[in-house]
Amino acid sequence: MARRILNRKELRADYDEAERRRTTEDEDVEEEGEEEEDEKEESAEGEAEAGEEEEEEVTAPKKKPAKPKAPAKPKTRSRAAKVTRMRVIWGVFNNSNQQVASYEYPKKQEAMAHAAKLTADKKSTHFVQPVKQQMEEKKE
């Protein structure tokens, strides 16, 4: 089944045209209402002079033009987290992913030999993989 795609530009144009028609009709109605009010005021003034009574005008509140939105406030930057230095070591792990031993990075061959020895002795798989470890800060 083909998916129907809506042409948003045409829909928007139709909507804008309908809005324009609606606003022009409202303006026409307001102009006619103003003419009638002027006639009523003139007759009311004549009556007010004769009877010295004034009628209060009741008018619908006029729409105020929309104010442009204020520009968005720039997002405040949060402080960057302190970067801790990491170092890589070789870890010897068993089949349950538990670290059995660790070796400095340049001593990979010793770590491989240890894993091979444990695999042969314990008859379970041991393997070597790199592990990142946080470096200790030197205090001066």
Side-chain angles (χ1 to χ4, degrees), residues 41-55:
E41 286 178 14
E42 290 173 6
S43 62
E45 288 176 6
E47 292 174 8
E49 291 172 2
E52 296 184 5
E53 295 179 3
E54 293 186 20
E55 296 179 14

Side-chain angles (χ1 to χ4, degrees), residues 32-89:
E32 291 174 6
E34 289 174 4
E35 291 172 3
E36 292 174 3
E37 288 176 8
D38 291 340
E39 292 173 7
K40 288 180 184 177
E41 286 178 14
E42 290 173 6
S43 62
E45 288 176 6
E47 292 174 8
E49 291 172 2
E52 296 184 5
E53 295 179 3
E54 293 186 20
E55 296 179 14
E56 294 183 18
E57 293 182 25
V58 178
T59 58
K62 295 183 180 180
K63 294 181 181 177
K64 295 180 181 178
K67 294 181 181 178
K69 291 186 178 180
K73 293 181 180 178
K75 294 183 180 179
T76 56
R77 286 187 167 181
S78 60
R79 291 192 173 193
K82 185 177 178 183
V83 179
T84 57
R85 293 182 61 194
M86 304 292 277
R87 67 181 183 150
V88 177
I89 60 170

Side-chain angles (χ1 to χ4, degrees), residues 14-25:
D14 293 342
Y15 177 77
D16 289 341
E17 187 177 322
E19 280 292 316
R20 273 189 244 115
R21 272 192 246 128
R22 210 174 297 134
T23 55
T24 54
E25 289 174 2

